[in-house]
Amino acid sequence: MQTKTKLPSWLTLEEVQEFLGVRAQTIYAYVSRGLIASHPDPQNTRRSLYSAENIQSLRQKKQQGRKRETLAVNTLFGTEPSIPTAISTFAKGHLYYRGKDVIAFAETATLEETARLLWGAEIATGFAVPNRDYPRTAPERSHAFIALATATATGHSTHARTARVLHAEAAALVGHLAATFGAENHPEMRIHQRLARGWGMTEDGADILRRAMVLLADHELTSSAFAARIAASNGASLPACLLSGLATFTGPLHGDATPRVKALFDEVERSSADEVVNRYLSSAIPIPGFGHHLYPDGDPRAVALLAKFAPPEEITKFIGKVITLTGLLPNIDVVLAALVTRYRLPGDAAFALFSVARSVGLLAHAMEQINTGKVIRPRGRYVGPTLEIP
């Protein structure tokens, strides 16, 4: 039977089986759960008749469920999840923040101005200086995660709170995060200057940090942005959204890729560019930090940042040799590792720089998701043992 076929008001068991394509036991289960009304057949009291209206409704739901399942499989398992966003996107090998080319924007913008743009803040956004001092040690992510976990434990849901209040809380979170990584508490300074002061960098070095953080603030719907949006869609507090995103960010296939490149550069400085490149290529070991699936013609962020400082000579030689022998171009992880090596930055400085910058984007995604009023809840596609349904 076709869905549009005109049915009588009541159907026999055989007609229902043909129409729904299910076994008799399933129909009995539908009846017991109240999904299908039934009554004795007046012409044969030993059998029942079933409501055609209920059966039509069940079939429609079944077909819709199949469509949703197909969509979910294609979306979540075939390609990447697709979520509408006005925050950032890619076009012709370039990254754009709300329509602005990020390379041009980074020429003069600060991370504070980037937050104002990405958050859609109505007033200029400054990152609060914490009212307490954090340990004056080398940047360590443990300080950041402890602080965020503490804030999460006492945080308030984002429901029924105005954008102005959320913007203020988001700014305070970025300020606190920077402080856990060693940024000094100078209210009159921008965040890049506070980090540079805390890490003992010059004014020129501070401007490199400014440019780097603007370039790193967002990268469309990354895994960490998706995690932050899932938390936000459920009404979690902003600290919880940021913590969810940064926890995902720690993966070596995401925001924690730079330390692998830094370890590689340490090898180069201990031996030589030639020796390290030859060892990797002769062993068929992929060299971390080169190539990017979104930028087949090269990561424009890496090009823009690398043009503003000179890495150590042996590192420059190493980068050139890898490009010549593999054809792969350096991505932003290579340039961040070169920056850390060039300025002899401490401890977890690369992760600190990246995470403070990206916290702006993660919070932007969280707040954008809040405004949709929708919960992100994909359905599971069960592939386990056969269900033992009574």
Side-chain angles (χ1 to χ4, degrees):
M1 286 186 183
Q2 298 298 318
T3 304
K4 295 182 180 180
T5 300
K6 178 67 175 177
L7 297 176
S9 297
W10 296 90
L11 302 175
T12 64
L13 178 64
E14 292 75 16
E15 289 172 328
V16 175
Q17 284 182 271
E18 180 185 355
F19 189 73
L20 292 181
V22 297
R23 296 179 301 172
Q25 293 93 325
T26 302
I27 297 168
Y28 299 148
Y30 287 153
V31 172
S32 67
R33 289 159 53 192
L35 298 176
I36 299 177
S38 68
H39 68 72
D41 184 346
Q43 298 179 357
N44 183 351
T45 56
R46 292 189 299 175
R47 71 179 189 177
S48 296
L49 295 178
Y50 303 90
S51 168
E53 182 180 355
N54 293 161
I55 291 160
Q56 286 270 25
S57 178
L58 271 176
R59 178 163 177 172
Q60 288 174 357
K61 289 180 180 178
K62 190 174 180 181
Q63 290 173 335
Q64 289 171 354
R66 284 173 177 162
K67 289 177 182 177
R68 281 198 282 273
E69 180 179 333
T70 300
L71 177 63
V73 170
N74 290 340
T75 300
L76 294 176
F77 298 97
T79 58
E80 296 87 4
S82 176
I83 291 180
T85 179
I87 296 170
S88 67
T89 191
F90 307 101
K92 296 183 178 180
H94 278 258
L95 173 64
Y96 293 83
Y97 293 166
R98 294 197 183 275
K100 296 182 180 293
D101 184 295
V102 70
I103 305 303
F105 186 64
E107 284 294 321
T108 58
T110 63
L111 192 62
E112 288 82 356
E113 291 165 344
T114 305
R116 181 184 180 186
L117 174 67
L118 296 185
W119 297 350
E122 296 179 0
I123 59 175
T125 303
F127 301 132
V129 173
N131 56 11
R132 65 186 179 90
D133 288 330
Y134 289 90
R136 298 287 78 163
T137 60
E140 291 182 14
R141 67 189 69 185
S142 60
H143 297 155
F145 282 100
I146 290 170
L148 280 177
T150 301
T152 296
T154 57
H156 299 289
S157 170
T158 54
H159 281 171
R161 300 173 71 196
T162 65
R164 177 180 57 81
V165 169
L166 292 177
H167 291 157
E169 184 178 3
L173 281 171
V174 179
H176 279 273
L177 185 65
T180 65
F181 284 122
E184 291 203 356
N185 292 356
H186 287 281
E188 73 283 1
M189 289 185 175
R190 298 296 189 183
I191 202 77
H192 65 276
Q193 296 168 323
R194 287 158 55 189
L195 278 170
R197 179 75 70 89
W199 295 347
M201 299 178 72
T202 64
E203 187 175 336
D204 287 344
D207 192 65
I208 294 293
L209 296 189
R210 176 198 62 77
R211 189 181 298 269
M213 287 197 287
V214 172
L215 294 172
L216 294 169
D218 196 58
H219 210 229
E220 207 229 44
L221 194 68
T222 58
S223 304
S224 55
F226 192 37
R229 293 185 82 117
I230 290 173
S233 77
N234 287 278
S237 67
L238 281 186
C241 296
L242 183 54
L243 182 59
S244 298
L246 286 181
T248 307
F249 192 71
T250 61
L253 301 182
H254 191 5
D256 211 20
T258 301
R260 291 190 296 152
V261 182
K262 178 61 170 64
L264 182 66
F265 286 175
D266 290 343
E267 287 185 57
V268 170
E269 291 197 312
R270 285 194 301 267
S271 53
S272 70
D274 290 336
E275 183 178 330
V276 173
V277 172
N278 291 340
R279 179 165 58 81
Y280 269 76
L281 294 184
S282 63
S283 303
I285 302 173
I287 300 175
F290 288 82
H292 197 297
H293 70 285
L294 290 174
Y295 304 116
D297 297 324
D299 187 339
R301 301 169 302 166
V303 174
L305 191 57
L306 194 56
K308 301 301 176 180
F309 73 97
E313 184 178 349
E314 200 65 21
I315 299 299
T316 300
K317 181 179 178 182
F318 174 84
I319 294 172
K321 191 171 182 66
V322 173
I323 294 172
T324 299
L325 293 178
T326 69
L328 298 175
L329 298 171
N331 60 35
I332 195 66
D333 295 309
V334 166
V335 182
L336 280 182
L339 188 157
V340 169
T341 303
R342 161 66 177 79
Y343 290 97
R344 302 300 172 189
L345 299 184
D348 241 356
F351 180 81
L353 184 65
F354 211 151
S355 58
V356 170
R358 187 55 58 85
S359 68
V360 168
L362 295 178
L363 288 164
H365 281 280
M367 290 186 282
E368 184 180 61
Q369 186 63 42
I370 291 165
N371 289 334
T372 70
K374 296 180 180 179
V375 175
I376 300 175
R377 204 296 192 185
R379 290 300 308 275
R381 182 166 59 95
Y382 183 71
V383 294
T386 301
L387 303 182
E388 298 179 358
I389 299 176

